[in-house]
Short mmCIF file of all heavy atoms in Angstrom, two decimals:
data_model
loop_
_atom_site.label_atom_id
_atom_site.label_comp_id
_atom_site.label_asym_id
_atom_site.label_seq_id
_atom_site.Cartn_x
_atom_site.Cartn_y
_atom_site.Cartn_z
N ASP A 867 -72.50 -113.78 -107.11
CA ASP A 867 -73.22 -115.00 -107.20
C ASP A 867 -73.27 -115.63 -108.61
O ASP A 867 -73.94 -116.59 -108.76
CB ASP A 867 -74.69 -114.73 -106.77
CG ASP A 867 -74.93 -114.19 -105.40
OD1 ASP A 867 -74.18 -114.88 -104.46
OD2 ASP A 867 -75.53 -113.24 -105.18
N LYS A 868 -72.38 -115.08 -109.47
CA LYS A 868 -72.43 -115.56 -110.88
C LYS A 868 -72.00 -117.08 -111.00
O LYS A 868 -72.31 -117.71 -111.89
CB LYS A 868 -71.62 -114.66 -111.77
CG LYS A 868 -70.08 -114.66 -111.39
CD LYS A 868 -69.39 -113.67 -112.28
CE LYS A 868 -67.89 -113.61 -111.92
NZ LYS A 868 -67.20 -112.66 -112.74
N ASP A 870 -72.68 -119.40 -108.65
CA ASP A 870 -73.63 -120.18 -107.90
C ASP A 870 -74.65 -120.85 -108.94
O ASP A 870 -75.36 -120.16 -109.73
CB ASP A 870 -74.43 -119.34 -106.95
CG ASP A 870 -75.12 -120.28 -105.92
OD1 ASP A 870 -75.60 -121.41 -106.27
OD2 ASP A 870 -75.34 -119.79 -104.79
N ARG A 872 -77.19 -122.76 -108.36
CA ARG A 872 -78.59 -122.96 -107.87
C ARG A 872 -79.58 -121.95 -108.60
O ARG A 872 -79.15 -120.89 -109.10
CB ARG A 872 -78.63 -122.82 -106.33
CG ARG A 872 -77.86 -123.75 -105.54
CD ARG A 872 -77.89 -123.43 -104.05
NE ARG A 872 -77.22 -122.19 -103.82
CZ ARG A 872 -77.22 -121.50 -102.67
NH1 ARG A 872 -77.91 -122.08 -101.63
NH2 ARG A 872 -76.57 -120.37 -102.49
N HIS A 873 -80.78 -122.40 -108.65
CA HIS A 873 -81.77 -121.53 -109.32
C HIS A 873 -81.90 -120.16 -108.55
O HIS A 873 -81.99 -120.15 -107.40
CB HIS A 873 -83.20 -122.22 -109.40
CG HIS A 873 -83.14 -123.44 -110.18
ND1 HIS A 873 -82.79 -123.42 -111.53
CD2 HIS A 873 -83.44 -124.82 -110.06
CE1 HIS A 873 -82.85 -124.64 -112.07
NE2 HIS A 873 -83.24 -125.42 -111.12
N ILE A 874 -82.10 -119.05 -109.36
CA ILE A 874 -82.22 -117.80 -108.74
C ILE A 874 -83.70 -117.56 -108.41
O ILE A 874 -84.58 -117.65 -109.32
CB ILE A 874 -81.63 -116.70 -109.62
CG1 ILE A 874 -80.13 -116.86 -109.75
CG2 ILE A 874 -82.05 -115.27 -109.10
CD1 ILE A 874 -79.50 -115.84 -110.76
N VAL A 875 -84.04 -117.16 -107.29
CA VAL A 875 -85.36 -116.79 -106.75
C VAL A 875 -85.27 -115.35 -106.30
O VAL A 875 -84.51 -115.04 -105.45
CB VAL A 875 -85.92 -117.72 -105.70
CG1 VAL A 875 -87.24 -117.25 -105.26
CG2 VAL A 875 -86.06 -119.15 -106.29
N LEU A 876 -86.15 -114.49 -106.87
CA LEU A 876 -86.16 -113.07 -106.44
C LEU A 876 -87.35 -112.85 -105.52
O LEU A 876 -88.51 -113.35 -105.71
CB LEU A 876 -86.31 -112.16 -107.61
CG LEU A 876 -86.50 -110.61 -107.28
CD1 LEU A 876 -85.29 -110.05 -106.65
CD2 LEU A 876 -86.86 -109.83 -108.60
N LEU A 900 -81.79 -124.97 -101.78
CA LEU A 900 -81.94 -125.32 -103.21
C LEU A 900 -81.83 -124.08 -104.07
O LEU A 900 -81.73 -124.18 -105.28
CB LEU A 900 -83.25 -126.06 -103.44
CG LEU A 900 -83.55 -127.29 -102.59
CD1 LEU A 900 -84.99 -127.80 -102.95
CD2 LEU A 900 -82.58 -128.40 -103.04
N TYR A 901 -81.97 -122.91 -103.40
CA TYR A 901 -82.15 -121.72 -104.21
C TYR A 901 -81.09 -120.59 -103.88
O TYR A 901 -80.68 -120.46 -102.71
CB TYR A 901 -83.49 -121.08 -104.01
CG TYR A 901 -84.68 -122.12 -104.11
CD1 TYR A 901 -85.50 -122.42 -103.06
CD2 TYR A 901 -84.78 -122.91 -105.28
CE1 TYR A 901 -86.42 -123.38 -103.09
CE2 TYR A 901 -85.79 -123.88 -105.36
CZ TYR A 901 -86.53 -124.09 -104.36
OH TYR A 901 -87.50 -125.08 -104.38
N ASN A 902 -80.76 -119.85 -104.90
CA ASN A 902 -79.94 -118.70 -104.77
C ASN A 902 -80.85 -117.47 -104.54
O ASN A 902 -81.35 -116.97 -105.59
CB ASN A 902 -79.01 -118.52 -105.94
CG ASN A 902 -77.96 -117.38 -105.79
OD1 ASN A 902 -77.88 -116.75 -104.79
ND2 ASN A 902 -77.23 -117.18 -106.83
N VAL A 903 -81.10 -117.10 -103.40
CA VAL A 903 -82.12 -116.12 -103.00
C VAL A 903 -81.64 -114.66 -103.14
O VAL A 903 -80.51 -114.29 -102.51
CB VAL A 903 -82.69 -116.38 -101.58
CG1 VAL A 903 -83.81 -115.39 -101.30
CG2 VAL A 903 -83.13 -117.80 -101.43
N HIS A 904 -82.32 -113.89 -103.87
CA HIS A 904 -82.01 -112.46 -103.97
C HIS A 904 -83.25 -111.63 -103.54
O HIS A 904 -84.41 -112.07 -103.81
CB HIS A 904 -81.68 -112.01 -105.44
CG HIS A 904 -80.35 -112.56 -105.90
ND1 HIS A 904 -80.05 -113.86 -106.01
CD2 HIS A 904 -79.24 -111.84 -106.24
CE1 HIS A 904 -78.78 -114.02 -106.42
NE2 HIS A 904 -78.23 -112.83 -106.59
N GLY A 934 -77.56 -115.14 -95.80
CA GLY A 934 -77.82 -116.04 -96.84
C GLY A 934 -78.34 -115.62 -98.12
O GLY A 934 -78.52 -116.36 -99.13
N THR A 936 -78.55 -112.19 -101.06
CA THR A 936 -78.07 -110.93 -101.61
C THR A 936 -79.26 -109.95 -101.63
O THR A 936 -80.29 -110.20 -102.23
CB THR A 936 -77.57 -111.02 -103.06
OG1 THR A 936 -76.45 -111.97 -103.07
CG2 THR A 936 -77.06 -109.76 -103.52
#
Side-chain angles (χ1 to χ4, degrees):
D867 295 312
K868 61 184 179 181
D870 194 329
R872 294 175 297 172
H873 294 303
I874 295 176
V875 174
L876 174 67
L900 304 174
Y901 313 120
N902 186 2
V903 182
H904 289 64
T936 302

